[in-house]
Amino acid sequence: MADASWQKYIDAIQENNVFACVKDQLVLELAANGGWHSRLIYEHNPKKLVCVEPDNFFTEPLYIEFASQHNDVECVWDTYNNYLINNKNKFDVVVCCGLLYHLHSPLDCIEKIINIHQPKTFILESIDAEIEHLNDEVLNLCGNAFEDNYKHIPYSFIIPIKKYKEILSNVGYTCIKEFRWADYGVEHPSKQDAVMIVFENEQKET
């Protein structure tokens, strides 16, 4: 069961119907973790949901308790870059929450998303900052959206939300919704500085 501060975050997503856009859509979720967002996505009846998660620590909550219960949910235990080796499918919606601020090359990850999967809708959540900066990264989760078995560069590159909006605007994605979770009273340590943005590419066919 979620603690009160995390539940407030989940409630805010539900109350604002953040994932309503996934109805009848093909959805790719990166860094599915324990399946919190996955379950919220599934409430809105996607055509199919593919969850990519590199850490099998989350096998029970993500696969056993969720994905295995639904024929239209696929769980891939691998890093995003490894997933791309044999999977270059297009998706209508890509969800990337709580991942980019762990990466030393978050723009590489975004570039792959928009060029390979070409989503009409891209839902991004990351922590905000005044300026771009490098952080020490103690969680050896993904590296540059993947984990190298031999060498790992233990830094993450933090990019301000306004910069993400500018970057994606320059490649055709318009911010249609923005949720700064602190404004909704969310105090969970991993989410109190986070912002979720829904981008839409108007040039994509519906």
Side-chain angles (χ1 to χ4, degrees):
M1 181 177 289
D3 64 33
S5 62
W6 182 261
Q7 189 60 51
K8 192 151 192 171
Y9 167 69
I10 297 300
D11 292 345
I13 293 176
Q14 290 178 310
E15 290 165 5
N16 287 280
N17 290 313
V18 174
F19 295 124
C21 60
V22 308
K23 181 176 173 58
D24 299 324
Q25 303 294 295
L26 295 173
V27 182
L28 174 65
E29 181 192 8
L30 302 181
N33 201 271
W36 292 101
H37 296 110
S38 314
R39 290 168 172 80
L40 298 177
I41 291 167
Y42 196 76
E43 288 177 358
H44 292 279
N45 302 307
K47 183 176 181 180
K48 182 176 182 180
L49 171 61
V50 178
C51 303
V52 178
E53 169 55 49
D55 192 345
N56 59 17
F57 172 82
F58 298 107
T59 298
E60 183 172 349
L62 179 59
Y63 179 72
I64 296 175
E65 297 177 359
F66 172 65
S68 67
Q69 308 298 313
H70 306 286
N71 292 329
D72 47 2
V73 177
E74 178 184 355
C75 189
V76 179
W77 296 104
D78 217 332
T79 60
Y80 179 45
N81 276 8
N82 285 345
Y83 170 77
L84 289 177
I85 293 172
N86 296 308
N87 298 277
K88 294 182 172 61
N89 299 328
K90 293 183 180 180
F91 286 88
D92 302 305
V93 182
V94 173
V95 179
C96 184
C97 297
L99 171 64
L100 295 173
Y101 56 86
H102 289 301
L103 307 182
H104 56 56
S105 302
L107 296 182
D108 175 71
C109 183
I110 289 179
E111 201 168 56
K112 287 170 178 168
I113 290 169
I114 62 177
N115 281 291
I116 296 172
H117 308 305
Q118 301 178 28
K120 174 179 172 55
T121 304
F122 179 27
I123 300 176
L124 175 161
E125 184 190 70
S126 191
I127 58 174
D128 203 3
E130 289 294 323
I131 59 172
E132 301 94 322
H133 63 278
L134 279 173
N135 265 4
D136 291 340
E137 179 56 59
V138 297
L139 296 175
N140 184 9
L141 294 178
C142 298
N144 180 25
F146 69 96
E147 179 179 288
D148 189 304
N149 290 327
Y150 303 100
K151 297 179 181 177
H152 177 74
I153 299 173
Y155 294 94
S156 56
F157 188 60
I158 309 301
I159 297 177
I161 293 298
K162 64 182 180 181
K163 183 62 70 172
Y164 277 125
K165 291 166 68 175
E166 177 186 326
I167 290 166
L168 282 157
S169 174
N170 288 336
V171 290
Y173 284 86
T174 301
C175 171
I176 60 170
K177 295 180 181 179
E178 180 176 337
F179 305 96
R180 189 170 295 273
W181 297 126
D183 295 342
Y184 294 83
V186 173
E187 297 178 346
H188 192 274
S190 69
K191 298 300 179 183
Q192 60 186 0
D193 296 322
V195 181
M196 185 178 287
I197 305 174
V198 181
F199 291 96
E200 190 166 280
N201 190 332
E202 300 292 348
Q203 298 177 351
K204 296 293 180 184
E205 294 182 1
T206 57

